[in-house]
Amino acid sequence: MNTFYWPDLLYSNVGFISGVGLLVSEAGEVLALSRRDDAADARIVELPGKALLPGFVNAHSHSFQRLIRGKAEGGGDFWSWRQTMYHAANRLEPEDVYDAARMAFLEMALAGTTTVGEFHYLHNAADGRPYDDPNLLAKQVIEAARSVGLRIVLLRTAYLRSGFELAPDAGQKRFFETGSAFLENTTALLRAYPETSGVSIGVAPHSVRAVPLRELKAIAEWNQSAGLPLHMHVSEQVAENEACLREHGHTPVELLKRERILSPKFTAVHAIHLSQEEIAALAEAGASICACPTTERNLGDGIFPADRAMTAGVRVALGSDSQAQIDPLEDARELEYHLRLAQQNRGVLDQIGGEPLAARLFGCATINGARLLSIASGELKPGNPADFFTVDLNDVAIAGHSAEDLLSMLVFSLPRSAVRDVAVSGRMIVRDGEHELTAEIVAQYTDIHRKVWGDSSHGKEAR
Amino acid sequence: MNTFYWPDLLYSNVGFISGVGLLVSEAGEVLALSRRDDAADARIVELPGKALLPGFVNAHSHSFQRLIRGKAEGGGDFWSWRQTMYHAANRLEPEDVYDAARMAFLEMALAGTTTVGEFHYLHNAADGRPYDDPNLLAKQVIEAARSVGLRIVLLRTAYLRSGFELAPDAGQKRFFETGSAFLENTTALLRAYPETSGVSIGVAPHSVRAVPLRELKAIAEWNQSAGLPLHMHVSEQVAENEACLREHGHTPVELLKRERILSPKFTAVHAIHLSQEEIAALAEAGASICACPTTERNLGDGIFPADRAMTAGVRVALGSDSQAQIDPLEDARELEYHLRLAQQNRGVLDQIGGEPLAARLFGCATINGARLLSIASGELKPGNPADFFTVDLNDVAIAGHSAEDLLSMLVFSLPRSAVRDVAVSGRMIVRDGEHELTAEIVAQYTDIHRKVWGDSSHGKEAR
């Protein structure tokens, strides 16, 4: 039986419309945006006082990094933060990886996210040896997403060395594979999740630092037939660019261009410290960028030049990355806000023309993410899965909206508490702000968190 | 009868402690932080699974600007944004001022705010003439805060001219008074709200642009006996500094120093474009700064130099200002985050020494605001009113915390949805995330919003 979701307002690619609901097949596919009269045979799900929008696509996540939230906010820099992150990474049993991922994915679901792109580089056991199934941890993360109900694209990450002329870092021993093992294990993972499984796989050479050029080329070549999304950290920190210059005589994007690794399947994650020529190279190749502003401000990476990237025609999507905050609209607004701060101006990304600003930013959080993960989502149109969330139109943050300014209010002012229902392929995973597994996930996560950090005390004195 | 609030964790000036609750008198005053055994005669309010913290102090608010949320996010600059703001300001009847203020104050209450400092410059009727009671609109705002249950400090604002060598701007006609009328009306407002009323008054010469030097000196002189907090917009935009240089041959802070207007009662709001000498002048005078980062990023004002201000010893508090977002912890974290973006470093404000970073930022959102509004709040200690909020310790954003990292998690990652209960002078105004007047306030606000903007349609088609 079909289902007809019947909100006050529905966001389609022409803006918010009323008098129209979402007709969804039993398999969870959008059949039509239709009037109620045209959905007479369907089960009606009334969503009064709510607007319905395509679900967010979180295109860059390291779920286990939820464990370091609040842990490294004092002194130190990016590189000392990374040591804290390794501390967490090295204390997780396979079931802990599952529980930590469920915690991050639950928070994403409650924020309106329906798809996560997990950039996954935890492969080995704590002693650095592969598990009997070298994809054991990847599968834990995939099962965590399934448990919460999120669509997942597992971006299996090649992390082959510590860096140019660097001895292997013991903190990274769970990440390392050989180049050939990487391709073998990725192939095995692809076989384990055929198209019908609803799970997608991508490849992610971690960075020019962590993947030598020879292996990087082999992965890119392998992917020419596989045709998977290929994601890579690029120019997050200036030091990375400098190391690449030392090793190759080129910046990372120059190198990627020269070696013909850029393509429409390529996504540069972060891409902060880029020259105009490098942005042009990405644009020319049809490559995309995934920015992660809430993480980038937390890590002190610098301001992503969204204006230059978008003006050049590069597609920009968003990721929660280190999970410092999980709030897709906060990420979206920061694309614009960080430029306002730097340029002391307003409407910076509005000057690019084309879409209105709010629609542009909302697109970064939805359809653009879907495109660079090669999935059909981020847009409510016939044939796509019914991945959506609803918002309470009477929420104190947006009360008084009209159809004309609602998207602008959402993008610039909505706290995630206004998200009420979330559905993935038509399956409601959040209803009226609640996910049914919350208590269980929080309880299990709390145990792991304490195990990792060894602080079981809840306060300075026992109660 | 006394009341004993009994949470799992309580935030005192030494961090989070357990085994201790808050003993509050019938009049709403903190009597002690005590063990449960020592509160045997009190009514016990159990707060299991919650942490209790001092309420936020929002030291700079223009409540009616809630009306322009989402309205001016496309093109334009600060000055065109201001025209949109005037459009709203000029369409409000006195009861609309009340309803708009209640909307903003409700959102503040739900975010854990217990005190608001309202920088109030809407004085006249829409035709520019004073009301029979020239404090009519100020009283509407005060009554709005009382209705919601917030403590309010009404910073009565002198807005005497459009600017140096500028003809009066019709958009500002509701703001204008003469210098003598300002002092007369402020005196009348002080009489209307004696100390026992629980309402405090401050004076706020709007800016060096809107108040000629002669009147500014008269207000400061008058305040030497009145002893009220004196707040003033200072150096939000570079153009203000330039106009002040043209008129006076000095930047605003240089002028204020030279004219001996800086004092421990003085708060510079924004204070973004300051030289090192100007920061030193504020520090030397014992003056404070109120930063408004979520507004400043929205308006493209620039990055507040919190590091330089704090290193010099200037007290920094926070305000929601234009209400682009109402989220005190987001404001607090941006003090640090905007510097991380600009400096490509981490723990920037941690390098100042003294307090740990999270405690420093939390202090900006609480005790510092109370100090520069001259009220006893922002800290849970005997003699202070019991102004506090609670947080759900199992919220998905902070699950796994320990006493050691909880404040850091709150400051850097808490969405306001985790705020559960809010009390002002021991009176619970929010219980488990709900304020009893929400439906009524939202409904009345929605009508005003539509009246102001003239768009009653809810969607592109009628349902």
Side-chain angles (χ1 to χ4, degrees), chain A residues 175-195:
Chain A
F175 315 165
F176 294 134
E177 294 168 304
T178 63
S180 59
F182 171 75
L183 290 179
E184 227 172 82
N185 295 337
T186 302
T187 304
L189 191 66
L190 271 167
R191 286 214 194 97
Y193 295 95
E195 232 173 282

Side-chain angles (χ1 to χ4, degrees), chain B residues 129-425:
Chain B
R129 281 186 289 196
Y131 290 101
D132 289 345
D133 176 357
N135 284 311
L136 177 63
L137 299 186
K139 289 174 182 173
Q140 295 284 17
V141 173
I142 289 169
E143 292 311 313
R146 284 179 153 176
S147 164
V148 171
L150 286 194
R151 183 181 310 289
I152 186 168
V153 179
L154 196 292
L155 301 159
R156 197 177 186 290
T157 303
Y159 203 115
L160 311 182
R161 64 172 193 179
S162 292
F164 177 54
E165 293 180 343
L166 290 178
D169 181 331
Q172 300 160 345
K173 62 181 180 288
R174 302 192 76 169
F175 314 165
F176 293 135
E177 293 167 305
T178 62
S180 59
F182 170 76
L183 290 179
E184 228 170 81
N185 295 337
T186 302
T187 303
L189 191 66
L190 271 168
R191 287 215 191 94
Y193 295 95
E195 231 174 282
T196 50
S197 71
V199 171
S200 310
I201 309 297
V203 284
H206 180 278
S207 55
V208 292
R209 173 181 57 73
V211 182
L213 182 57
R214 197 168 65 94
E215 283 84 352
L216 179 57
K217 288 168 74 169
I219 293 168
E221 196 173 318
W222 175 90
N223 197 48
Q224 285 198 339
S225 53
L228 307 179
L230 192 155
H231 288 220
M232 191 167 183
H233 291 122
V234 176
S235 295
E236 178 176 10
Q237 289 271 323
V238 172
E240 286 175 73
N241 284 15
E242 291 167 351
C244 189
L245 273 168
R246 278 200 307 279
E247 180 173 8
H248 300 290
H250 300 284
T251 64
V253 173
E254 285 168 359
L255 181 73
L256 295 168
K257 177 185 176 178
R258 182 192 165 98
E259 301 294 342
R260 298 169 191 276
I261 289 162
L262 301 180
S263 81
K265 290 286 179 188
F266 187 92
T267 292
V269 180
H270 303 303
I272 292 172
H273 305 286
L274 297 192
S275 68
Q276 205 50 41
E277 291 69 31
E278 291 175 284
I279 287 174
L282 291 173
E284 202 183 321
S288 301
I289 290 175
C290 183
C292 308
T294 51
T295 290
E296 289 153 5
R297 72 178 187 174
N298 180 278
L299 295 181
D301 292 335
I303 295 174
F304 168 63
D307 49 349
R308 295 195 287 130
M310 290 177 180
T311 301
V314 178
R315 178 179 293 131
V316 175
L318 295 164
S320 67
D321 194 4
S322 72
Q323 329 297 357
Q325 284 169 272
I326 293 178
D327 190 339
L329 291 175
E330 179 59 33
D331 274 311
R333 66 182 73 113
E334 287 181 15
L335 283 180
E336 163 76 15
Y337 276 158
H338 292 168
L339 295 171
R340 291 190 190 181
L341 285 170
Q343 299 179 14
Q344 296 177 24
N345 203 351
R346 307 186 78 240
V348 178
L349 298 176
D350 202 55
Q351 291 161 27
I352 297 167
E355 295 167 289
L357 178 57
R360 177 183 288 280
L361 297 175
F362 190 74
C364 294
T366 53
I367 182 74
N368 290 8
R371 291 210 174 129
L372 57 78
L373 291 172
S374 301
I375 54 164
S377 186
E379 193 179 10
L380 297 170
K381 66 174 187 185
N384 270 12
D387 296 351
F388 64 81
F389 68 95
T390 71
V391 160
D392 174 7
L393 286 169
N394 288 314
D395 187 87
V396 293
I398 55 169
H401 64 84
S402 67
E404 178 196 296
D405 62 13
L406 177 56
L407 193 69
S408 198
M409 276 207 197
L410 292 171
V411 167
F412 287 101
S413 306
L414 200 78
R416 68 184 205 200
S417 49
V419 171
R420 304 316 295 161
D421 312 290
V422 182
V424 178
S425 282

Side-chain angles (χ1 to χ4, degrees), chain A residues 128-301:
Chain A
R129 280 187 288 194
Y131 290 101
D132 289 344
D133 176 356
N135 284 311
L136 177 63
L137 299 187
K139 290 175 181 172
Q140 295 284 22
V141 173
I142 289 169
E143 293 312 311
R146 284 180 154 175
S147 163
V148 171
L150 286 194
R151 182 181 311 289
I152 186 167
V153 179
L154 197 292
L155 300 160
R156 198 177 186 288
T157 303
Y159 203 116
L160 310 182
R161 64 171 193 180
S162 291
F164 177 53
E165 294 181 342
L166 290 180
D169 181 330
Q172 300 161 345
K173 63 180 178 289
R174 302 192 77 169
F175 315 165
F176 294 134
E177 294 168 304
T178 63
S180 59
F182 171 75
L183 290 179
E184 227 172 82
N185 295 337
T186 302
T187 304
L189 191 66
L190 271 167
R191 286 214 194 97
Y193 295 95
E195 232 173 282
T196 51
S197 71
V199 171
S200 309
I201 308 297
V203 282
H206 180 277
S207 54
V208 292
R209 173 180 57 73
V211 182
L213 182 57
R214 196 169 65 94
E215 283 83 353
L216 180 57
K217 288 168 76 170
I219 293 169
E221 197 175 317
W222 175 90
N223 197 47
Q224 284 197 341
S225 53
L228 307 179
L230 192 155
H231 288 220
M232 190 168 184
H233 292 123
V234 175
S235 295
E236 178 176 10
Q237 290 271 324
V238 172
E240 285 176 73
N241 285 15
E242 291 167 351
C244 189
L245 273 168
R246 277 201 307 277
E247 180 172 9
H248 300 290
H250 298 284
T251 64
V253 173
E254 284 168 1
L255 181 73
L256 295 168
K257 177 185 175 178
R258 182 192 164 97
E259 302 293 343
R260 301 171 189 275
I261 288 162
L262 301 180
S263 81
K265 291 285 179 190
F266 187 92
T267 291
V269 180
H270 303 302
I272 292 172
H273 304 287
L274 296 193
S275 68
Q276 205 51 40
E277 292 68 33
E278 291 175 282
I279 288 175
L282 292 173
E284 202 184 321
S288 301
I289 291 176
C290 182
C292 308
T294 50
T295 290
E296 290 154 5
R297 72 179 188 174
N298 180 278
L299 295 181
D301 292 335

Side-chain angles (χ1 to χ4, degrees), chain A residues 328-341:
Chain A
L329 291 175
E330 179 60 32
D331 274 311
R333 66 182 73 112
E334 286 180 15
L335 282 180
E336 162 76 15
Y337 277 158
H338 293 167
L339 295 171
R340 291 190 190 182
L341 285 170

Side-chain angles (χ1 to χ4, degrees), chain A residues 6 18 340 400 449 461 463, chain B residues 6 18 298 400 449 461 463:
Chain A
W6 181 226
S18 63
R340 291 190 190 182
H449 191 101
E461 305 173 43
R463 182 159 180 168
Chain B
W6 182 225
S18 63
N298 180 278
H449 191 101
E461 305 173 42
R463 180 159 181 169

Side-chain angles (χ1 to χ4, degrees), chain A residues 6-9 14 16-20 35 46 66 69-78 81 103 106-107 110 238 273 296-303 324-325 330 333-334 337-338 340-341 344-347 350 357 393-405 408-409 412-413 415-417 438 442 445-446 449-450 455 457-463, chain B residues 6-9 14 16-20 35 46 66 69-78 81 103 106-107 110 238 273 296-303 324-325 330 333-334 337-338 340-341 344-347 350 357 393-405 408-409 412-413 415-417 438 442 445-446 449-450 455 457-463:
Chain A
W6 181 226
D8 282 7
L9 291 172
V14 297
F16 281 102
I17 50 179
S18 63
V20 170
R35 299 185 162 277
E46 301 270 359
R66 169 62 176 80
R69 183 177 287 179
K71 274 295 175 193
E73 295 306 336
D77 60 8
F78 174 88
W81 167 86
M103 186 75 240
L106 170 64
E107 194 175 353
L110 292 168
V238 172
H273 304 287
E296 290 154 5
R297 72 179 188 174
N298 180 278
L299 295 181
D301 292 335
I303 295 175
Q325 285 170 271
E330 179 60 32
R333 66 182 73 112
E334 286 180 15
Y337 277 158
H338 293 167
R340 291 190 190 182
L341 285 170
Q344 297 177 24
N345 202 352
R346 307 186 80 241
D350 203 54
L357 178 57
L393 287 168
N394 288 313
D395 187 85
V396 293
I398 55 169
H401 64 85
S402 66
E404 178 196 298
D405 63 13
S408 198
M409 274 206 198
F412 287 101
S413 306
R416 68 183 204 200
S417 48
T438 298
V442 167
Y445 175 78
T446 301
H449 191 101
R450 301 228 164 116
D455 45 18
S457 76
H458 215 72
K460 293 206 168 168
E461 305 173 43
R463 182 159 180 168
Chain B
W6 182 225
D8 282 5
L9 292 172
V14 297
F16 282 101
I17 49 178
S18 63
V20 170
R35 298 185 162 276
E46 300 270 359
R66 169 62 176 82
R69 182 178 289 178
K71 275 294 175 193
E73 296 305 336
D77 59 7
F78 175 88
W81 169 86
M103 187 75 239
L106 170 64
E107 195 175 351
L110 291 167
V238 172
H273 305 286
E296 289 153 5
R297 72 178 187 174
N298 180 278
L299 295 181
D301 292 335
I303 295 174
Q325 284 169 272
E330 179 59 33
R333 66 182 73 113
E334 287 181 15
Y337 276 158
H338 292 168
R340 291 190 190 181
L341 285 170
Q344 296 177 24
N345 203 351
R346 307 186 78 240
D350 202 55
L357 178 57
L393 286 169
N394 288 314
D395 187 87
V396 293
I398 55 169
H401 64 84
S402 67
E404 178 196 296
D405 62 13
S408 198
M409 276 207 197
F412 287 101
S413 306
R416 68 184 205 200
S417 49
T438 297
V442 166
Y445 175 78
T446 301
H449 191 101
R450 302 228 163 116
D455 45 17
S457 77
H458 215 72
K460 293 207 168 166
E461 305 173 42
R463 180 159 181 169

